[in-house]
Amino acid sequence: MAVRAIRGATQLEEDVRDHMLERVAEMVTDVMEANDLEVDDFISVIFTATSDLVSEFPAYAARRLGFGEIPLLCARELEIDGSMPRCVRMMAHVETDLPRADITHVYLHGAAALRSDLTRVRSVPDGDE
């Protein structure tokens, strides 16, 4: 069993608590489904949020999915001119038998434009839900 890092990102339409919880839960669930993972496969998860998102901690959405025993951390995304607004990103460290090349990273809604360079990405642009 190897330790792998899996990335994900999503963009919110507005900074509303329920919307934050919904979008982050969707991202975490999609990462799990795309990589055949259970909660117990997770070692830790780091979430970042842009400074325009203040309605809720992204990690709370994961806690509601059963991540109560998994170390979770929230941090502020760097404020770079022209960067995507209302964006939550995650980097999960997991135990898996998947080779690194078979890991699927998940970019949802507006965040689908962030990593078009990756070869294994499940992306869902807005309007394609």
Side-chain angles (χ1 to χ4, degrees):
M1 181 108 18
V3 174
R4 302 282 184 228
I6 303 175
R7 292 292 315 271
T10 190
Q11 186 179 38
L12 281 65
E13 295 170 13
E14 57 185 337
D15 185 27
V16 173
R17 182 176 187 270
D18 287 342
H19 186 52
M20 164 80 79
L21 294 173
E22 174 186 304
R23 287 279 170 104
V24 174
E26 175 190 31
M27 175 177 61
V28 172
T29 301
D30 278 13
V31 164
M32 293 174 72
E33 290 173 359
N35 294 286
D36 195 27
L37 298 170
E38 302 292 329
V39 171
D40 286 343
D41 297 324
F42 285 76
I43 298 167
S44 63
V45 184
I46 300 167
F47 293 95
T48 65
T50 51
S51 61
D52 51 4
L53 296 176
V54 297
S55 62
E56 183 57 84
F57 291 102
Y60 181 63
R63 296 247 182 263
R64 292 175 41 165
L65 294 173
F67 281 67
E69 300 296 317
I70 309 300
L72 306 175
L73 177 69
C74 293
R76 182 64 67 206
E77 188 68 34
L78 292 174
E79 294 188 37
I80 305 299
D81 286 341
S83 63
M84 182 173 290
R86 301 176 317 282
C87 189
V88 176
R89 293 172 173 88
M90 68 178 282
M91 182 165 57
H93 302 96
V94 302
E95 293 179 316
T96 180
D97 289 326
L98 289 175
R100 187 183 320 267
D102 290 345
I103 295 294
T104 300
H105 305 278
V106 174
Y107 292 84
L108 305 176
H109 309 291
L114 287 174
R115 293 301 305 265
S116 58
D117 60 310
L118 294 175
T119 56
R120 290 192 57 86
V121 173
R122 176 175 148 31
S123 67
V124 177
D126 276 330
D128 291 352
E129 296 177 66

